[in-house]
Amino acid sequence: MPSADTSTTDLARLIISCPDQHGIVAAVSDALTTLGANIITLDQYSTGVEDGRFFQRTVFHLPGLAARRPEVEAIVSEHLEPRFGMQWQLTEVERPKRVAIFASKTDHCLLDLLWRHRRGEIPMDITMVISNHPDLAADVRSFGIPFFHVPVDKADRSTAENQHLEMLRGNVDLIVLARYMQILTPEFLEQVEVPVINIHHSFLPAFIGAGPYQKAKDRGVKLIGATAHYVTEDLDEGPIIEQDVIRVSHEDDVAQLTQYGADVERAVLSRAVKWHCQDRVIRHANTTIVF
Ligand SMILES: Nc1nc2c(c(=O)[nH]1)N[C@@H](CN(C=O)c1ccc(C(=O)N[C@@H](CCC(=O)O)C(=O)O)cc1)CN2
């Protein structure tokens, strides 16, 4: 059972990735112990001892963390990083990620995130909602979240995307596409410089692109699903974070599939966003490790 104390004060997460080799866990643990930190959880994974890659997520408690953060960064950057060829990220549990949500007209995934955020189920700070349609403005503003309508001209996406970049620059750590029905250009993805999570309404790799429920009906599948993935320039082919499925039958029309699918989409997206905000997801090639 988790301890009764659910305090997040002075809790940090150290996420590391490096070539697999002898002594990593001991060295990281020794460095944190030397600092006076107490390791709360430690999860690790290796892709294999032969020329493999090692990943580790360590949650630790360090009294006076904020003031001592430079010390932690120094020991990692000056000792662990050069010794192991380590890539690393240090985050503080009490500093939630700033999240911008993009939506179009479909509301269920957006409202689910706003509702779970209001209930404190997802450790994030929703800084804004941006939509290419005005339909959801009142819903979003009822949660006290800023809503911005930015129409998209498919013949010239750059005008809208430049507006997005101005609004987002320096204000966001994560973008979530909550059934946002516009394809993001490679230029936008390069310039925005933060991860983007999308919910695709199919069990990828099946039915990439628009209209997956019609494609599912036409194919006569007995399972439909949803997939949350990081967004890349290759449509719906980015690293998968979370998936789930639900049984359907020949009696279900596309409207029924869409309704059943919406419940799966909401659950899958919220789990993926929560795990990302908890720094549980590490990208490796076109896959993820989820601790
Ligand atoms: N660069 C990327 N952009 C987006 C991705 C992605 O993986 N990489 N995922 C999509 C979401 N999506 C399916 O999950 C999706 C959305 C929209 C379309 C599409 O064909 N859109 C048309 C416009 C449709 C409309 O206006 O109703 C278009 O953009 O021309 C396909 C898949 C989000 N973006």
Side-chain angles (χ1 to χ4, degrees):
M1 284 292 289
S3 65
D5 174 14
T6 56
S7 167
T8 58
T9 305
D10 293 335
L11 280 183
R13 303 184 191 111
L14 178 62
I15 314 302
I16 69 170
S17 163
C18 62
D20 197 2
Q21 56 202 286
H22 183 72
I24 304 168
V25 176
V28 172
S29 302
D30 184 52
L32 294 175
T33 304
T34 301
L35 284 162
N38 178 37
I39 293 174
I40 306 299
T41 63
L42 189 153
D43 297 285
Q44 77 265 8
Y45 170 73
S46 170
T47 61
V49 292
E50 297 303 325
D51 197 27
R53 191 86 184 159
F54 180 86
F55 307 88
Q56 182 170 299
R57 175 183 185 269
T58 308
V59 179
F60 62 89
H61 180 261
L62 179 63
L65 172 66
R68 300 196 59 198
R69 184 181 177 117
E71 280 180 77
V72 181
E73 291 173 332
I75 204 166
V76 178
S77 60
E78 294 167 15
H79 299 283
L80 297 175
E81 182 178 333
R83 177 180 170 187
F84 296 107
M86 195 176 278
Q87 296 172 317
W88 57 278
Q89 180 189 18
L90 180 69
T91 63
E92 297 174 41
V93 173
E94 282 201 318
R95 293 172 67 174
K97 288 178 176 38
R98 298 162 299 171
V99 177
I101 304 175
F102 282 44
S104 290
K105 288 184 177 179
T106 306
D107 62 358
H108 58 279
C109 288
L110 168 64
L111 294 180
D112 187 84
L113 288 171
L114 295 175
W115 183 71
R116 291 180 190 274
H117 171 252
R118 187 167 66 182
R119 289 168 55 85
E121 292 183 15
I122 303 179
M124 63 180 171
D125 176 17
I126 301 175
T127 56
M128 67 187 81
V129 171
I130 295 173
S131 178
N132 57 319
H133 296 283
D135 304 50
L136 301 175
D139 284 327
V140 171
R141 289 168 180 155
S142 74
F143 284 85
I145 304 282
F147 177 93
F148 301 100
H149 174 211
V150 181
V152 175
D153 175 359
K154 295 190 200 64
D156 169 27
R157 298 177 195 277
S158 62
T159 300
E161 291 186 341
N162 287 337
Q163 280 184 262
H164 295 154
L165 289 168
E166 276 308 305
M167 296 160 72
L168 296 168
R169 189 165 283 116
N171 295 319
V172 72
D173 303 304
L174 171 68
I175 294 172
V176 177
L177 306 184
R179 293 297 304 278
Y180 181 66
M181 300 310 287
Q182 295 300 314
I183 296 173
L184 304 179
T185 65
E187 293 77 19
F188 175 83
L189 293 172
E190 182 180 353
Q191 293 177 56
V192 76
E193 295 184 321
V194 298
V196 181
I197 293 176
N198 176 59
I199 183 69
H200 181 68
H201 38 315
S202 83
F203 187 54
L204 289 177
F207 312 139
I208 282 174
Y213 290 127
Q214 183 60 61
K215 294 172 184 172
K217 179 62 180 174
D218 296 345
R219 186 67 183 81
V221 299
K222 305 308 178 184
L223 290 172
I224 59 168
T227 303
H229 64 92
Y230 289 112
V231 169
T232 65
E233 60 184 86
D234 299 319
L235 187 64
D236 300 330
E237 298 200 2
I240 291 172
I241 305 166
E242 172 63 334
Q243 297 183 287
D244 208 343
V245 294
I246 188 170
R247 293 200 67 82
V248 294
S249 85
H250 59 280
E251 295 176 331
D252 298 317
D253 61 13
V254 174
Q256 195 69 61
L257 298 184
T258 302
Q259 183 182 332
Y260 288 151
D263 289 341
V264 184
E265 294 165 43
R266 293 190 292 120
V268 166
L269 180 59
S270 61
R271 290 199 295 266
V273 171
K274 180 174 182 178
W275 293 343
H276 177 94
C277 290
Q278 292 174 325
D279 297 307
R280 292 182 181 277
V281 187
I282 301 178
R283 292 172 66 157
H284 175 52
N286 200 39
T287 69
T288 64
I289 293 98
V290 182
F291 286 122

